[in-house]
């Protein structure tokens, strides 16, 4: 739509009243080139197969999508995700680079590329990718990118930045257990036990609690001197996850490991 608006402005098309350029016409299905239409249909099929875990079939559909339209950035983006799942980081990076070259401002591409770089410990390179995604005013995945950025900053030994990023992710998505646990764990490591307890209590009182969250809750409550609460969490841990490594750590009293 922005491109159409730019063309109309350059041509100086005016309304009948002479009050200025007419707005661009609304894009409909008939405006889509045939090659892009075929590529989009193949991409939709590939996405469905990818979501079902049929990675090889999804990749084959993507090959046909890109054969129909080699400039389809969304297809390269999904190809990058497929190669990440297949543990092919070089092929995944090539796909994300191609997608970014075709659509430099796509926040989804930037997020995925940033996460790939983070997994390779290329933290400095990942940061501008996350910034690009978060800088998009129409991006609906802000929470997941703040979370990814925070986890990346944790791994890069930048705890203050990580705390800010994970706190922002929690503000946007307070029901995400991954955000809550990692933020609480970071706060515990930084000695901020009261705040760690705040995030853990809500998590451990929900169906999303697991052995890791309960074990962290036990350690936080013990350090705060709340032995009764710690024992309640310990009983729950033993009852629900008797074979877990966390129960083994509890039995040997490894609270400070």
């Amino acid at each position: 739509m922005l491109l159409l608006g730019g063309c109309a402005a350059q041509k100086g098309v005016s309304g009948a009243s002479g009050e200025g350029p007419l707005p661009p016409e609304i894009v409909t299905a008939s405006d889509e080139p045939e090659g892009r239409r075929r590529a989009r249909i193949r991409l939709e099929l590939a996405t469905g197969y990818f979501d079902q875990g049929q990675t090889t079939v999804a990749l084959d559909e993507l090959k046909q999508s890109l054969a129909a339209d080699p400039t389809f950035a969304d297809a390269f983006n999904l190809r990058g995700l497929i190669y990440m799942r297949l543990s092919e980081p070089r092929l995944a990076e090539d796909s994300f680079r191609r997608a970014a070259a075709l659509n430099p401002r796509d926040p989804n591409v930037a997020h995925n590329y940033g996460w790939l770089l983070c997994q390779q410990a290329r933290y400095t390179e990942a940061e501008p990718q996350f910034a690009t995604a978060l800088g998009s005013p129409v991006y609906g995945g802000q929470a997941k990118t703040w979370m990814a950025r925070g986890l990346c900053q944790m791994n890069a030994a930048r705890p203050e930045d990580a705390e800010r990023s994970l706190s922002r992710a929690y503000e946007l998505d307070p029901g995400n257990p991954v955000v809550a646990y990692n933020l609480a764990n970071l706060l515990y490591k930084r000695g901020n036990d009261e705040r760690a307890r705040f995030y853990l209590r809500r998590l451990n009182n929900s169906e999303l609690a697991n052995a890791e969250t309960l074990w962290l809750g036990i350690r936080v409550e013990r350090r705060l001197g709340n032995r009764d609460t710690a024992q309640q969490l310990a009983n729950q841990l033993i009852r629900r996850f008797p074979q877990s490594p966390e129960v083994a750590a509890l039995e040997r009293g490894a609270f400070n490991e």
Side-chain angles (χ1 to χ4, degrees):
M1 293 291 285
L2 290 174
L3 289 174
L4 288 172
C7 292
Q10 291 170 6
K11 292 179 181 178
V13 179
S14 298
S17 63
E19 294 180 354
L22 286 171
E25 291 191 20
I26 296 174
V27 177
T28 61
S30 63
D31 297 308
E32 186 176 40
E34 179 60 23
R36 175 56 59 90
R37 187 188 70 82
R38 293 198 307 271
R40 177 178 52 78
I41 292 172
R42 290 293 185 180
L43 175 62
E44 291 171 358
L45 291 170
T47 301
Y49 286 123
F50 179 73
D51 291 342
Q52 295 169 16
Q54 299 183 53
T55 312
T56 305
V57 181
L59 187 58
D60 187 63
E61 291 292 346
L62 275 182
K63 290 178 180 178
Q64 297 182 65
S65 175
L66 289 168
D69 186 352
T71 67
F72 199 10
D74 290 348
F76 280 112
N77 183 45
L78 181 57
R79 192 175 77 168
L81 292 175
I82 289 175
Y83 281 133
M84 285 181 70
R85 182 177 288 181
L86 294 173
S87 300
E88 295 284 355
R90 292 180 62 186
L91 293 174
E93 181 169 358
D94 176 71
S95 296
F96 291 139
R97 282 181 177 273
R98 287 170 181 257
L102 291 166
N103 192 355
R105 297 184 180 181
D106 188 320
N108 292 298
V109 173
H111 169 90
N112 293 333
Y113 190 17
W115 185 237
L116 172 68
L117 293 169
C118 181
Q119 290 181 316
Q120 296 177 309
R122 295 160 64 183
Y123 307 121
T124 302
E125 296 175 72
E127 186 62 29
Q129 298 299 327
F130 292 137
T132 296
L134 293 170
S136 171
V138 297
Y139 181 42
Q142 295 271 338
K144 73 174 182 179
T145 299
W146 279 112
M147 179 181 72
R149 189 185 212 178
L151 296 176
C152 196
Q153 290 164 337
M154 283 178 62
N155 292 333
R158 295 166 53 192
E160 292 182 2
D161 292 333
E163 183 178 333
R164 282 192 290 269
S165 295
L166 291 173
S167 295
R168 180 58 178 151
Y170 190 86
E171 290 174 9
L172 295 170
D173 187 10
N176 189 319
V178 178
V179 174
Y181 172 78
N182 281 282
L183 180 54
N185 191 35
L186 177 62
L187 291 167
Y188 172 74
K189 290 178 178 178
R190 301 191 75 196
N192 198 335
D193 299 322
E194 285 289 353
R195 284 190 63 208
R197 182 192 190 204
F198 169 81
Y199 296 108
L200 281 170
R201 273 200 160 184
R202 178 176 180 179
L203 183 54
N204 283 330
N205 287 331
S206 74
E207 69 279 3
L208 299 174
N210 60 26
E212 283 185 297
T213 66
L214 291 168
W215 176 234
L216 180 57
I218 292 167
R219 289 182 289 162
V220 168
E221 296 293 353
R222 281 179 57 87
R223 207 154 74 175
L224 287 169
N226 302 323
R227 295 304 175 100
D228 289 343
T229 305
Q231 187 58 53
Q232 292 172 7
L233 292 172
N235 293 340
Q236 187 180 164
L237 174 64
I238 295 168
R239 183 180 72 254
R240 295 180 59 189
F241 308 100
Q243 304 302 319
S244 66
E246 288 76 13
V247 167
L250 174 67
E251 290 175 345
R252 66 175 185 270
F255 300 105
N256 297 316
E257 287 185 359

